[in-house]
Every structure is written in structure tokens, then in C-alpha cells.
Amino acid sequence: MAVMTLARTPSVAPTVAAIREDFPILQRQVHGRPLIYLDNTASTQKPVQVLDAMDRYYRELHANVHRGVHTLSEEATAAYENARLRIARFINAPSPKEVILTRNTTESLNLVAYTWGRANLHPGDEVLITEMEHHSNIVPWQIICEMTGATLRYVPITPGGDLDMEALEGLLTERTRVFAFTAMSNVLGTINPVSDLVKRAHAVGAIAVVDGAQAVPTMATDVQALNADFLAFSGHKMLGPTGIGVVYGRRRLLEAMPPFLGGGDMIREVKMSGSRWNELPYKFEAGTPAIAETIGLGAAVDYLTTLGMDWVLEHERELTTYAWGRLQEVEGLRILGPGPSERGGLLAFVLGDVHPHDVAAILDQDGIAVRAGHHCAQPIHDHYGITATTRASFYVYNTEEEVDRLVLALYKAKALFDL
Ligand code: C6P
């Protein structure tokens, strides 16, 4: 079994070369070229530490959790709950009871919209979101507004790709019951001022729902300092497996909310005449959970904690600043969103009138993985009058040499399309 290959202590800065050795997939070739993985905003790769934690669970401890008194079930339950505890610490949640395990950010946001929304929204109420949201922080609110008669409003963005704070002033009123916004845009890279936005929501009596899908993997997150009511994120964007997500919720709100899904584990008692709900967090976790994936996410947060989230942010900043400068050299290329010092580690761009799918296909021939399309954020593309962008996004294992290879491949694309 592989062991932690990074010899480091918190006082020693990690090296990207050592980190890369932990990611088996980075040894792979694509079309005969070494893989350059720049699609981290969609999903990150997994280190051996995460793969081994999941493998060990299946080989040595697998049984269902919270159900058995036999040794394996007790060991599996301990590993599962211990992972929840480490995930709770990673975001500084006051208690693991406030950390609900879901499948992904999408399910987390749906959980809040359906359960809190159904119980609290009425005709005349308003739900405020922003123009830069991912579909998973738009569609559930559209559905719940339709169901309850509440009205959905959008905060516009400035030409520079930030939230329009003046417009926000006018849109946040005593009618606003929810302000749901992303901490970081997956298209513009914009980092929103979360604690300020939470304060503004609370000032009008609204709850603040934060989509942390892009921010939690990149920067230290402290839900107590942010004072958010709900925070949603996905394991697969932060070195963990797919199929595991989180919604942190303020205890008082979670306790007052009805359950999301009904079934095993979420009940205290079921009679033919009705049921009573289990305590937090289980009230919101119906059925057999994603045990291996939760254990894998526990290993992922350990890995990120060892690197240090300050280092992760700094590494992404340095690489994004470098990539920003190099991409600006490519004539005809336009990057969406704010400047490099104010954004997360992603750059969505258009290259003349070449379709982003064509750009991505050409880059793929050189072993470079980027995403092309609307990135599940059509309203923000509509704002710019375009249907798609090409997006390069970075994480802990990416290097300046990889950015250089990206730029060379873009010149190739330009030549092919006579740009
Ligand atoms: N964005 C991207 O390529 P899920 O799919 O549930 O794990 O995450 C949804 C989600 C929610 N909010 C933001 C800001 C996101 O970026 C995402 C996922 C990926 O941009 C996949 S569409």
C-alpha cells in the first residue's frame, strides 16, 4: 500500500514535484503526450492517500453503518463518523451534527431549497440570487418559488465581473427571505465577499445560503467566521471522490426544518399512523450513505490540511497570475472576469470566433484537458452575449510548464483556424 509520500511539516512549504508523485493519473499519456490536467474546476484528481483510504475500507471494514452491533459495522461506523468529524473541523463547524452528508453541492442546495423553502416561503416573499450562479443555485430556487408563490430576483454584475453592490442595496429588502450566492464563480473566477454579503442578508432578516463548490477547495473556510446559515460543497472538487457532498447548516435552522428524503436511518420511530425524525445530522441522511466516499473525503481534507489551505490559495494565485499574463500574449484571446489578483484559479476565455469545443478538441490532441461549453452557468454567458467559453483551471499539482504548453497549443489552434 502506498504511504503518505510527502515528507513535510507545516513549517516546510510543500513542493509541487512531491505532490505530483501522489497522483497516479498524472503519469498517464493522452494521444501520446503527457497528460496536462487543467479541468480542476469540473473535478480534481485523487491522491493515493484518498484511493488507499477507500480501498482499505472495502478490503478490511466494509459493513453498513449505524445498523449493526457486530465488529465490522462498528468499525465502519467509527471510520464514517470520524471522517465527518474531520470534515466538520476543516470548515470549523461548531458541531459535526451540523454537517449533513449529501451526494454533491447540487443535492445540498436542493436540500436547503426544498426543506427550508417549503416550510418558510410564501407569496410576496423574495428569494435573491445572482447572475453569476451555477445552475444548481438557480434551478432549485426557480422550482421552489414556483411551488410557493415567492418571487426570484437576481443581483446583476458589473462590467468587471463583480457583483453590483449598488444594485444589491436596492434588491435586498424586508421582503427578501433568502440570499443565495456563490463564494466563487466557476466561470468568472470572481471571489465574492462572503461575510459582508452574509451581514447584509442578516440585516434585512434573510438567511444566507453560500455555494462553496469552488471556494472551499481553494481557501481556508470558517463557517463560524463567515456566519453563513448554510454552506454547500462537493468532495470531488477537493481531491475527494465523486458521490459525496456536504451541506453545513446552522443547528437552529436544521432542527426546525422538515426532512428532505424519507426512509431508513432518518427516523426515530415509525408507526403505521406516522413517524418521528431522528436527531441531527441523521434526520437529513435517509438510506445507506456513501460510506467509502465519506471516508475518502476525510482523507482528502487530511491531505489538504497537511498542505495548508494558505499554501493552496497562494499556489493557485501564483499560477493563475502567471497564466493570466501568458494568455494575454495570445492575440485575439479574451479572458472573462476580474484581474488575476482578485480571482480563483480558473480562466474562462474566448479565442476569436473559434468555437470553444474546437479549441478544447485541439488542446486534447496535445494531452491538455480543459472544459468547453457553458459550464452549467448559462445566465452569465447570456450576460456576455456568448454561448460558451474554454476554461483552464488549476489545482495543487499544476505547474508553470503546463501553462506554457497550454499557450503553445493555443498558438497551434490559432494557426489552424487562420486567426
Ligand atoms: N461546477 C464546473 O465544471 P456538483 O456538480 O453538484 O458537484 O457541483 C455543482 C456546482 C455548484 N456550484 C458551483 C459554483 C459549481 O462550480 C458547481 C460545479 C462544475 O464548473 C461542474 S458543472
Side-chain angles (χ1 to χ4, degrees):
M1 265 200 193
V3 289
M4 186 81 173
T5 55
L6 291 165
R8 47 182 123 83
T9 65
S11 60
V12 177
T15 70
V16 176
I19 290 170
R20 290 179 70 85
E21 284 177 23
D22 287 333
F23 290 80
I25 206 167
L26 297 180
Q27 304 304 320
R28 214 219 102 157
Q29 307 253 316
V30 171
H31 299 303
R33 314 290 294 268
L35 167 68
I36 295 184
Y37 188 76
L38 301 179
D39 194 16
N40 294 288
T41 293
S43 198
T44 61
Q45 299 301 346
K46 321 301 169 200
V48 283
Q49 291 81 355
V50 169
L51 303 176
D52 286 350
M54 294 174 69
D55 187 61
R56 177 170 173 259
Y57 161 73
Y58 276 127
R59 284 176 191 276
E60 298 176 21
L61 323 175
H62 173 68
N64 212 329
V65 292
H66 307 143
R67 283 159 173 82
V69 287
H70 60 79
T71 302
L72 281 191
S73 180
E74 281 178 358
E75 286 179 6
T77 302
Y80 176 74
E81 290 301 336
N82 189 272
R84 187 199 307 271
L85 190 64
R86 278 139 54 220
I87 296 163
R89 283 197 195 123
F90 187 71
I91 56 167
N92 198 27
S95 158
K97 289 182 185 302
E98 293 168 299
V99 171
I100 315 292
L101 299 169
T102 63
R103 278 188 307 145
N104 47 39
T105 305
T106 303
E107 187 174 300
S108 295
L109 292 167
N110 274 274
L111 185 157
V112 177
Y114 278 90
T115 57
W116 190 92
R118 244 183 348 192
N120 292 286
L121 291 174
H122 305 284
D125 291 341
E126 291 182 3
V127 172
L128 186 61
I129 61 174
T130 87
E131 219 179 335
M132 65 169 81
E133 297 309 312
H134 184 277
H135 295 165
S136 62
N137 204 23
I138 300 175
V139 183
W141 298 113
Q142 288 176 334
I143 294 172
I144 204 70
C145 283
E146 183 120 331
M147 281 169 71
T148 60
T151 304
L152 185 60
R153 300 209 181 281
Y154 294 80
V155 183
I157 63 160
T158 64
D162 293 312
L163 284 184
D164 183 335
M165 299 305 266
E166 243 176 71
L168 175 64
E169 284 276 301
L171 283 162
L172 259 181
T173 70
E174 74 287 351
R175 286 188 300 281
T176 314
R177 303 297 316 281
V178 183
F179 181 24
F181 56 89
T182 187
M184 184 193 296
S185 160
N186 66 322
V187 176
L188 305 174
T190 310
I191 297 171
N192 285 320
V194 176
S195 44
D196 177 43
L197 297 177
V198 170
K199 246 186 235 143
R200 289 168 188 254
H202 289 168
V204 296
I207 62 159
V209 179
V210 181
D211 174 352
Q214 297 303 338
V216 173
T218 298
M219 51 186 70
T221 302
D222 179 338
V223 288
Q224 296 187 59
L226 296 174
N227 203 20
D229 297 296
F230 295 98
L231 171 81
F233 57 100
S234 297
H236 70 96
K237 293 182 193 293
M238 47 193 285
L239 309 180
T242 55
I244 181 70
V246 175
V247 59
Y248 155 81
R250 195 185 293 286
R251 190 176 192 146
R252 174 175 54 78
L253 297 175
L254 290 173
E255 271 170 355
M257 280 154 57
F260 182 38
L261 302 172
D265 228 20
M266 52 74 71
I267 47 82
R268 187 184 303 282
E269 183 184 56
V270 178
K271 298 276 183 212
M272 283 169 69
S273 54
S275 305
R276 287 190 307 121
W277 316 136
N278 204 344
E279 61 181 7
L280 293 177
Y282 312 114
K283 179 170 106 176
F284 293 102
E285 295 179 358
T288 300
I291 307 165
E293 289 76 6
T294 303
I295 290 168
L297 180 55
V301 302
D302 291 347
Y303 191 94
L304 288 170
T305 303
T306 307
L307 291 184
M309 289 309 289
D310 290 345
W311 181 86
V312 173
L313 181 62
E314 194 184 302
H315 175 69
E316 279 202 38
R317 272 269 151 81
E318 278 176 14
L319 206 49
T320 308
T321 304
Y322 180 73
W324 171 278
R326 292 290 340 260
L327 290 185
Q328 295 289 2
E329 293 167 14
V330 182
E331 218 177 290
L333 187 148
R334 181 167 67 96
I335 299 169
L336 268 59
S341 60
E342 301 151 52
R343 63 155 65 223
L346 64 101
L347 296 166
F349 57 86
V350 285
L351 183 62
D353 57 2
V354 186
H355 195 283
H357 283 158
D358 292 333
V359 176
I362 292 164
L363 297 182
D364 183 58
Q365 288 305 308
D366 274 349
I368 303 172
V370 295
R371 186 169 172 189
H374 55 59
H375 316 302
C376 303
Q378 284 183 326
I380 196 65
H381 283 83
D382 287 346
H383 172 93
Y384 287 95
I386 52 179
T387 54
T389 48
T390 307
R391 186 185 64 192
S393 51
F394 314 108
Y395 209 41
V396 294
Y397 34 69
N398 291 122
T399 65
E400 290 189 356
E401 292 70 41
E402 291 179 316
V403 172
D404 293 339
R405 285 264 312 274
L406 167 70
V407 173
L408 277 179
L410 286 170
Y411 277 115
K412 230 191 223 176
K414 264 172 68 91
L416 262 172
F417 284 94
D418 232 0
L419 250 191

Short mmCIF file of all heavy atoms in Angstrom, two decimals, residues 39 41-43 104-107 109 134 136 182 184-186 211 213-214 234 236-237 371 375-376 391, ligand 1:
data_model
loop_
_atom_site.label_atom_id
_atom_site.label_comp_id
_atom_site.label_asym_id
_atom_site.label_seq_id
_atom_site.Cartn_x
_atom_site.Cartn_y
_atom_site.Cartn_z
N ASP A 39 -8.63 20.81 -15.87
CA ASP A 39 -10.09 20.83 -15.77
C ASP A 39 -10.50 20.64 -14.32
O ASP A 39 -11.47 19.93 -14.00
CB ASP A 39 -10.69 19.73 -16.66
CG ASP A 39 -12.19 19.92 -16.86
OD1 ASP A 39 -12.70 21.02 -16.58
OD2 ASP A 39 -12.86 18.96 -17.28
N THR A 41 -11.74 22.72 -12.11
CA THR A 41 -12.98 23.34 -11.64
C THR A 41 -14.14 22.37 -11.83
O THR A 41 -15.10 22.37 -11.05
CB THR A 41 -13.20 24.66 -12.41
OG1 THR A 41 -12.17 25.56 -12.00
CG2 THR A 41 -14.53 25.30 -12.11
N ALA A 42 -14.05 21.51 -12.85
CA ALA A 42 -15.09 20.49 -13.04
C ALA A 42 -14.92 19.37 -12.01
O ALA A 42 -15.87 18.94 -11.38
CB ALA A 42 -15.03 19.93 -14.45
N SER A 43 -13.68 18.90 -11.84
CA SER A 43 -13.40 17.85 -10.86
C SER A 43 -11.88 17.69 -10.75
O SER A 43 -11.19 17.75 -11.77
CB SER A 43 -14.02 16.52 -11.30
OG SER A 43 -14.12 15.64 -10.21
N ASN A 104 -23.57 15.73 -3.38
CA ASN A 104 -22.78 16.78 -4.04
C ASN A 104 -23.38 18.16 -3.70
O ASN A 104 -24.40 18.23 -3.01
CB ASN A 104 -22.75 16.57 -5.57
CG ASN A 104 -24.14 16.28 -6.12
OD1 ASN A 104 -25.12 16.87 -5.68
ND2 ASN A 104 -24.23 15.38 -7.07
N THR A 105 -22.78 19.20 -4.22
CA THR A 105 -23.29 20.56 -3.98
C THR A 105 -24.73 20.70 -4.46
O THR A 105 -25.56 21.35 -3.81
CB THR A 105 -22.41 21.59 -4.73
OG1 THR A 105 -21.05 21.40 -4.33
CG2 THR A 105 -22.83 23.01 -4.45
N THR A 106 -25.00 20.10 -5.61
CA THR A 106 -26.33 20.20 -6.19
C THR A 106 -27.39 19.66 -5.22
O THR A 106 -28.41 20.31 -4.96
CB THR A 106 -26.38 19.41 -7.53
OG1 THR A 106 -25.36 19.94 -8.37
CG2 THR A 106 -27.72 19.51 -8.20
N GLU A 107 -27.12 18.47 -4.68
CA GLU A 107 -28.09 17.90 -3.74
C GLU A 107 -28.17 18.76 -2.47
O GLU A 107 -29.25 18.96 -1.91
CB GLU A 107 -27.72 16.47 -3.38
CG GLU A 107 -28.78 15.80 -2.54
CD GLU A 107 -28.51 14.32 -2.30
OE1 GLU A 107 -28.42 13.56 -3.28
OE2 GLU A 107 -28.33 13.94 -1.14
N LEU A 109 -27.79 22.01 -2.17
CA LEU A 109 -28.58 23.22 -2.40
C LEU A 109 -30.06 22.88 -2.58
O LEU A 109 -30.94 23.61 -2.12
CB LEU A 109 -28.03 23.99 -3.62
CG LEU A 109 -26.64 24.61 -3.40
CD1 LEU A 109 -26.03 25.07 -4.71
CD2 LEU A 109 -26.71 25.78 -2.40
N HIS A 134 -24.15 29.12 -10.66
CA HIS A 134 -24.22 27.82 -11.34
C HIS A 134 -25.69 27.39 -11.36
O HIS A 134 -26.45 27.76 -10.46
CB HIS A 134 -23.37 26.83 -10.52
CG HIS A 134 -23.24 25.47 -11.11
ND1 HIS A 134 -24.19 24.50 -10.95
CD2 HIS A 134 -22.26 24.91 -11.84
CE1 HIS A 134 -23.79 23.39 -11.55
NE2 HIS A 134 -22.62 23.61 -12.10
N SER A 136 -27.08 24.90 -10.37
CA SER A 136 -27.56 24.23 -9.15
C SER A 136 -27.91 25.22 -8.05
O SER A 136 -28.52 24.83 -7.05
CB SER A 136 -26.53 23.21 -8.64
OG SER A 136 -25.35 23.86 -8.30
N THR A 182 -22.91 32.37 -4.77
CA THR A 182 -21.68 31.58 -4.82
C THR A 182 -20.54 32.35 -4.16
O THR A 182 -20.46 33.58 -4.29
CB THR A 182 -21.32 31.20 -6.27
OG1 THR A 182 -20.22 30.30 -6.22
CG2 THR A 182 -20.95 32.39 -7.13
N MET A 184 -17.49 31.69 -5.03
CA MET A 184 -16.56 31.91 -6.16
C MET A 184 -17.25 31.43 -7.44
O MET A 184 -17.78 30.32 -7.48
CB MET A 184 -15.27 31.11 -5.94
CG MET A 184 -14.24 31.36 -7.03
SD MET A 184 -12.90 30.16 -6.98
CE MET A 184 -12.17 30.51 -5.41
N SER A 185 -17.21 32.29 -8.46
CA SER A 185 -17.85 31.93 -9.73
C SER A 185 -17.02 30.89 -10.47
O SER A 185 -15.79 31.03 -10.58
CB SER A 185 -18.02 33.17 -10.60
OG SER A 185 -18.20 32.80 -11.96
N ASN A 186 -17.69 29.88 -11.04
CA ASN A 186 -16.97 28.84 -11.80
C ASN A 186 -16.71 29.26 -13.24
O ASN A 186 -16.14 28.48 -14.00
CB ASN A 186 -17.74 27.51 -11.76
CG ASN A 186 -19.07 27.60 -12.51
OD1 ASN A 186 -19.75 28.61 -12.45
ND2 ASN A 186 -19.43 26.54 -13.20
N ASP A 211 -22.95 28.95 -1.79
CA ASP A 211 -22.48 27.87 -2.64
C ASP A 211 -20.95 27.89 -2.58
O ASP A 211 -20.30 28.75 -3.16
CB ASP A 211 -22.99 28.10 -4.08
CG ASP A 211 -22.42 27.07 -5.05
OD1 ASP A 211 -21.54 26.28 -4.66
OD2 ASP A 211 -22.85 27.07 -6.22
N ALA A 213 -18.92 25.45 -3.66
CA ALA A 213 -18.35 24.39 -4.52
C ALA A 213 -16.95 24.74 -5.01
O ALA A 213 -16.08 23.87 -5.07
CB ALA A 213 -19.27 24.13 -5.71
N GLN A 214 -16.72 26.01 -5.35
CA GLN A 214 -15.40 26.40 -5.87
C GLN A 214 -14.50 26.99 -4.80
O GLN A 214 -13.27 26.89 -4.90
CB GLN A 214 -15.57 27.40 -7.03
CG GLN A 214 -16.28 26.83 -8.24
CD GLN A 214 -15.62 25.58 -8.80
OE1 GLN A 214 -14.44 25.33 -8.58
NE2 GLN A 214 -16.38 24.77 -9.51
N SER A 234 -18.78 20.15 -2.64
CA SER A 234 -18.65 18.78 -3.19
C SER A 234 -17.27 18.22 -2.90
O SER A 234 -16.27 18.91 -3.05
CB SER A 234 -18.80 18.81 -4.72
OG SER A 234 -20.07 19.25 -5.11
N HIS A 236 -15.64 15.93 -4.71
CA HIS A 236 -14.83 15.62 -5.90
C HIS A 236 -14.04 16.81 -6.43
O HIS A 236 -13.16 16.64 -7.27
CB HIS A 236 -15.71 15.02 -7.00
CG HIS A 236 -16.66 16.00 -7.63
ND1 HIS A 236 -16.37 16.66 -8.79
CD2 HIS A 236 -17.89 16.43 -7.25
CE1 HIS A 236 -17.39 17.44 -9.11
NE2 HIS A 236 -18.32 17.33 -8.18
N LYS A 237 -14.37 18.02 -5.98
CA LYS A 237 -13.62 19.19 -6.43
C LYS A 237 -12.46 19.52 -5.50
O LYS A 237 -11.79 20.54 -5.65
CB LYS A 237 -14.55 20.40 -6.53
CG LYS A 237 -15.61 20.27 -7.61
CD LYS A 237 -16.46 21.51 -7.67
CE LYS A 237 -17.71 21.33 -8.48
NZ LYS A 237 -17.50 21.14 -9.91
N ARG A 371 -12.08 22.43 -20.08
CA ARG A 371 -13.51 22.28 -20.32
C ARG A 371 -13.98 23.35 -21.30
O ARG A 371 -13.51 24.49 -21.24
CB ARG A 371 -14.31 22.39 -19.01
CG ARG A 371 -15.78 22.09 -19.24
CD ARG A 371 -16.60 21.93 -17.97
NE ARG A 371 -18.01 21.83 -18.38
CZ ARG A 371 -19.03 21.85 -17.55
NH1 ARG A 371 -18.84 21.96 -16.24
NH2 ARG A 371 -20.27 21.78 -18.00
N HIS A 375 -20.52 25.55 -18.93
CA HIS A 375 -20.11 25.22 -17.56
C HIS A 375 -21.29 25.25 -16.58
O HIS A 375 -21.14 25.65 -15.42
CB HIS A 375 -18.99 26.16 -17.08
CG HIS A 375 -17.93 26.39 -18.11
ND1 HIS A 375 -17.20 25.37 -18.67
CD2 HIS A 375 -17.51 27.53 -18.72
CE1 HIS A 375 -16.37 25.87 -19.57
NE2 HIS A 375 -16.54 27.18 -19.63
N CYS A 376 -22.46 24.86 -17.06
CA CYS A 376 -23.68 24.86 -16.22
C CYS A 376 -23.94 26.24 -15.64
O CYS A 376 -24.38 26.37 -14.48
CB CYS A 376 -23.62 23.81 -15.12
SG CYS A 376 -23.34 22.16 -15.72
N ARG A 391 -12.30 26.84 -20.75
CA ARG A 391 -11.87 27.16 -19.38
C ARG A 391 -10.70 26.28 -18.95
O ARG A 391 -10.78 25.07 -19.00
CB ARG A 391 -13.04 26.95 -18.42
CG ARG A 391 -12.75 27.41 -16.99
CD ARG A 391 -13.89 27.05 -16.07
NE ARG A 391 -14.04 25.61 -15.98
CZ ARG A 391 -15.10 24.98 -15.44
NH1 ARG A 391 -16.11 25.67 -14.95
NH2 ARG A 391 -15.15 23.67 -15.38
N1 C6P B 1 -19.28 23.06 -11.47
C1 C6P B 1 -17.88 23.03 -13.45
O1 C6P B 1 -17.32 22.45 -14.37
P1 C6P B 1 -21.78 19.36 -8.30
O2 C6P B 1 -21.91 19.02 -9.76
O3 C6P B 1 -23.08 19.18 -7.59
O4 C6P B 1 -20.64 18.68 -7.64
O5 C6P B 1 -21.40 20.92 -8.23
C2 C6P B 1 -22.29 21.86 -8.73
C3 C6P B 1 -21.69 23.23 -8.70
C4 C6P B 1 -22.26 24.20 -7.89
N2 C6P B 1 -21.75 25.44 -7.81
C5 C6P B 1 -20.65 25.79 -8.50
C6 C6P B 1 -20.11 27.18 -8.33
C7 C6P B 1 -20.03 24.86 -9.33
O6 C6P B 1 -18.94 25.23 -9.99
C8 C6P B 1 -20.56 23.55 -9.44
C9 C6P B 1 -19.96 22.54 -10.38
C10 C6P B 1 -18.56 22.20 -12.38
O7 C6P B 1 -17.90 24.25 -13.34
C11 C6P B 1 -19.38 21.10 -12.96
S1 C6P B 1 -20.80 21.68 -13.85
#
